[in-house]
Amino acid sequence: MQWSIQEIARLTGVTSRTLRHYDAVGLLPAARTTASGPRRYDRTALVRLQRILLLRDLGLGLGDIAEVLDTDQGEAEALRTHLVSLRAEQDRLARQIASVERTVAALEKDPDTKEDIMAKDMFDGFDHTQYEQEVTERWGRDAYQKSDAWWRGLGEQGQQQWKARLETLIKAWTDAAEAGLDPASDEAQAIAARHAEWLVAVPGTPGHEQGRPDRGYLLGLADMYVADERFAANYGGTEGATFVRDVLRVYADQVY
Amino acid sequence: MQWSIQEIARLTGVTSRTLRHYDAVGLLPAARTTASGPRRYDRTALVRLQRILLLRDLGLGLGDIAEVLDTDQGEAEALRTHLVSLRAEQDRLARQIASVERTVAALEKDPDTKEDIMAKDMFDGFDHTQYEQEVTERWGRDAYQKSDAWWRGLGEQGQQQWKARLETLIKAWTDAAEAGLDPASDEAQAIAARHAEWLVAVPGTPGHEQGRPDRGYLLGLADMYVADERFAANYGGTEGATFVRDVLRVYADQVY
DNA sequence: GTAGAGGTTGACGCCGCGTCAACTTCAACC
DNA sequence: GGTTGAAGTTGACGCGGCGTCAACCTCTAC
């Protein structure tokens, strides 16, 4: 008993193109009568195809399916391995959805609150300020999660205090810049130290566990203060931000 | 203030390749000094890049990002639309995971129970037996869900009864085949009618709502009884299954 | 002069096919 | 004999978002 490619297609619900593809990649070779004639499928092929489709519907890739079918490895084992990546993907999706929801909610509130400055400075910094590629791998996406959870946990009062601390810092920076302090001076370096402390207090900050900010993170953030005008605006424009950056660079050279 | 491609890469954590890609597709054009010289980026570009990366991390495609940035449409609106597809994907994943778990559990039990015959006949049939492409779209993946829920809802006793009904049917088929009945005879057609009833009683079966199986589904299943030896084994091998198929074909011609 | 760092364009690869395109073969009908 | 149509074939592009060579140019430092 043999069937043409169309008959197999109708029997199983896949397209003939798919069957040719499976033939081309060797997943389901067709038994041809001649070298380049029409493909013919027998019962063995049909059974194999049904196992293929079952595993495909479960989300396995064609390569994995071939491995399961050709080596005599346990099907259940492969599926359990597959489950792990499915669950990982599920977690990733859940986090992403939560993130999108937060963003939508934030967009619908007034976008010019003090809180927003903070968010720009801290949270966006986590996401996109990265000085070295190697560093990229160390502080993953969960940094945002941690810091966000911490922030909510602070409560109204704690958040107010935090904002006040930020404003004090900013005032110190702008005053120092206007006074024309030497970036290497003790006064300027003191502000840098306070700034580093302020940053590292947040869980999720690269270096939080070590008690001082990651060097690459700090330098990248310093550059970003100058480069991004939204950050720069917080520190008295480009000039002020440049001063902050220079001080932080000296600080980093001395401390690390 | 301008930056080279590497500087931007370090500042934002993306690779230079990515920046060239964004330039190539027009998402983030670089301001070049000459036609084919090194790319230079200014503050405007940096800010745009950061918005791009934010939206990218939220899962938007580059095309959607370009649309959001270039047309003056609301960002929140785009994100809400995006949320819909994210949630759909989440549901799909959840179903798939449940399906894999069921399969793993089934594989770890004894694979040669009566229940398995049923599963092969009914559930796999829903998944992969399709006679016409148009039919494919009508009975989606939820058929399995429905029938599975129904099966569990039957309880021990109900499942026993169901299996008994199946065995009675199978015996009728094999007896008729051995007796050499004419497929068009009343006796054979009566078995076909009982078979159709038996099938359609399951919620999720194509045609369940109409009270009789979908014609394409029935014909496809009949073909599968012959084509797939695991099915054929239930009906007394290829010969028996061929008889069943022929009877069902006549039945389909007469009833529909 | 040469090495090295950083830039350029161009092209392939991944995954699972959908979707033309261009062609052949075979049976059926006039 | 010619025509038409159904069903088959191979070959190639496209999608999404880049990673990863490859081959080449340019500038600076020793």
Side-chain angles (χ1 to χ4, degrees):
Chain A
M1 190 70 173
Q2 292 204 333
W3 300 272
S4 74
I5 193 169
Q6 290 289 5
E7 287 165 344
I8 291 288
R10 273 198 293 267
L11 274 173
T12 58
V14 304
T15 68
S16 58
R17 175 66 181 92
T18 298
L19 292 174
R20 273 188 282 271
H21 181 59
Y22 290 171
D23 190 3
V25 300
L27 180 58
L28 181 71
R32 280 192 201 70
T33 47
T34 71
S36 91
R39 290 170 176 76
R40 308 249 75 195
Y41 294 86
D42 55 17
R43 215 187 304 272
T44 312
L46 180 55
V47 171
R48 184 178 170 93
L49 175 57
Q50 291 186 322
R51 292 193 64 197
I52 290 173
L53 295 180
L54 200 160
L55 293 173
R56 190 189 65 169
D57 280 354
L58 295 179
L60 263 76
L62 298 190
D64 294 339
I65 293 177
E67 204 167 339
V68 170
L69 295 188
D70 292 336
T71 76
D72 225 25
Q73 106 189 67
E75 202 163 322
E77 193 187 358
L79 285 180
R80 265 195 300 271
T81 306
H82 182 51
L83 258 184
V84 174
S85 48
L86 282 182
R87 292 222 176 85
E89 174 66 9
Q90 197 178 31
D91 290 349
R92 200 194 57 77
L93 243 188
R95 277 198 303 271
Q96 189 165 79
I97 287 177
S99 195
V100 173
E101 282 170 344
R102 270 199 309 268
T103 306
V104 170
L107 282 175
E108 281 169 350
K109 288 202 301 187
D110 184 32
D112 275 335
T113 59
K114 252 314 185 204
E115 188 178 349
D116 213 47
I117 294 183
M118 273 215 45
K120 284 277 168 273
D121 202 320
M122 294 171 40
F123 298 149
D124 285 4
F126 295 153
D127 276 351
H128 302 309
T129 310
Q130 289 156 7
Y131 202 71
E132 301 267 344
Q133 287 211 350
E134 43 170 355
V135 181
T136 306
E137 305 187 24
R138 280 194 277 135
W139 14 317
R141 286 283 160 253
D142 55 359
Y144 185 98
Q145 310 289 326
K146 284 188 191 167
S147 57
D148 192 49
W150 165 83
W151 175 252
R152 292 177 193 283
L154 277 183
E156 269 296 322
Q157 279 207 344
Q159 293 184 358
Q160 292 293 340
Q161 281 184 14
W162 190 259
K163 289 180 197 172
R165 252 185 103 181
L166 171 61
E167 289 187 21
T168 313
L169 255 178
I170 286 181
K171 186 151 197 328
W173 279 121
T174 48
D175 287 352
E178 278 174 19
L181 279 190
D182 179 0
S185 67
D186 288 350
E187 294 95 325
Q189 289 301 305
I191 308 180
R194 285 168 56 202
H195 197 87
E197 269 182 62
W198 172 72
L199 279 174
V200 83
V202 180
T205 305
H208 172 69
E209 279 82 8
Q210 288 74 42
R212 67 179 190 188
D214 179 270
R215 177 182 151 89
Y217 172 71
L218 186 60
L219 288 174
L221 202 55
D223 278 342
M224 192 60 88
Y225 288 159
V226 178
D228 189 330
E229 55 190 357
R230 292 168 304 179
F231 286 180
N234 295 344
Y235 297 95
T238 305
E239 277 186 56
T242 305
F243 175 74
V244 174
R245 182 196 65 187
D246 293 341
V247 177
L248 285 177
R249 280 183 177 172
V250 173
Y251 176 77
D253 279 349
Q254 293 189 351
V255 172
Y256 296 90
Chain B
M1 190 70 175
Q2 292 201 335
W3 299 272
S4 74
I5 194 170
Q6 290 288 8
E7 288 166 343
I8 292 287
R10 274 197 293 266
L11 275 174
T12 58
V14 305
T15 69
S16 58
R17 174 68 181 89
T18 298
L19 292 173
R20 274 189 280 272
H21 182 60
Y22 289 172
D23 190 4
V25 300
L27 180 57
L28 182 71
R32 279 193 201 70
T33 47
T34 72
S36 89
R39 292 171 175 76
R40 308 249 75 197
Y41 293 86
D42 56 16
R43 214 187 305 272
T44 313
L46 180 56
V47 172
R48 185 179 170 92
L49 175 56
Q50 291 186 321
R51 293 193 64 197
I52 290 173
L53 295 179
L54 202 161
L55 293 173
R56 190 190 66 170
D57 281 353
L58 295 180
L60 263 76
L62 297 191
D64 294 339
I65 294 177
E67 205 167 341
V68 170
L69 294 188
D70 291 337
T71 75
D72 223 26
Q73 107 189 65
E75 203 163 321
E77 193 188 359
L79 286 180
R80 266 195 300 272
T81 306
H82 182 51
L83 258 185
V84 174
S85 48
L86 283 181
R87 293 220 176 86
E89 175 66 9
Q90 196 177 31
D91 290 349
R92 201 193 57 76
L93 243 188
R95 278 198 303 270
Q96 190 165 80
I97 287 177
S99 197
V100 173
E101 282 171 343
R102 270 199 310 268
T103 306
V104 170
L107 283 176
E108 282 170 348
K109 288 202 299 189
D110 186 32
D112 277 335
T113 59
K114 254 314 187 207
E115 188 177 349
D116 214 48
I117 295 183
M118 274 215 47
K120 285 276 167 271
D121 202 320
M122 294 171 41
F123 298 150
D124 285 4
F126 294 153
D127 275 351
H128 302 308
T129 310
Q130 290 156 7
Y131 201 71
E132 300 269 344
Q133 288 212 349
E134 43 170 356
V135 180
T136 307
E137 306 188 22
R138 280 195 277 136
W139 14 316
R141 287 282 159 253
D142 56 359
Y144 185 96
Q145 309 290 326
K146 283 188 192 167
S147 56
D148 192 50
W150 165 83
W151 174 251
R152 291 177 193 284
L154 277 183
E156 269 296 323
Q157 279 208 345
Q159 293 184 359
Q160 292 293 342
Q161 282 186 14
W162 190 257
K163 288 180 197 173
R165 254 185 101 180
L166 171 61
E167 289 187 21
T168 314
L169 254 179
I170 286 182
K171 184 150 199 331
W173 278 121
T174 49
D175 286 353
E178 278 173 20
L181 279 189
D182 179 1
S185 68
D186 286 350
E187 292 95 326
Q189 289 300 305
I191 307 180
R194 284 170 55 204
H195 197 87
E197 268 182 63
W198 172 72
L199 279 174
V200 82
V202 181
T205 305
H208 173 69
E209 279 81 8
Q210 289 74 43
R212 65 179 192 188
D214 178 271
R215 175 181 152 89
Y217 172 72
L218 186 60
L219 289 174
L221 202 55
D223 279 342
M224 193 59 89
Y225 288 159
V226 178
D228 189 331
E229 54 189 358
R230 292 168 305 179
F231 287 180
N234 295 344
Y235 297 96
T238 304
E239 277 186 56
T242 305
F243 174 74
V244 174
R245 182 197 62 185
D246 293 341
V247 177
L248 285 176
R249 280 184 178 173
V250 174
Y251 176 78
D253 278 350
Q254 292 187 351
V255 171
Y256 297 90

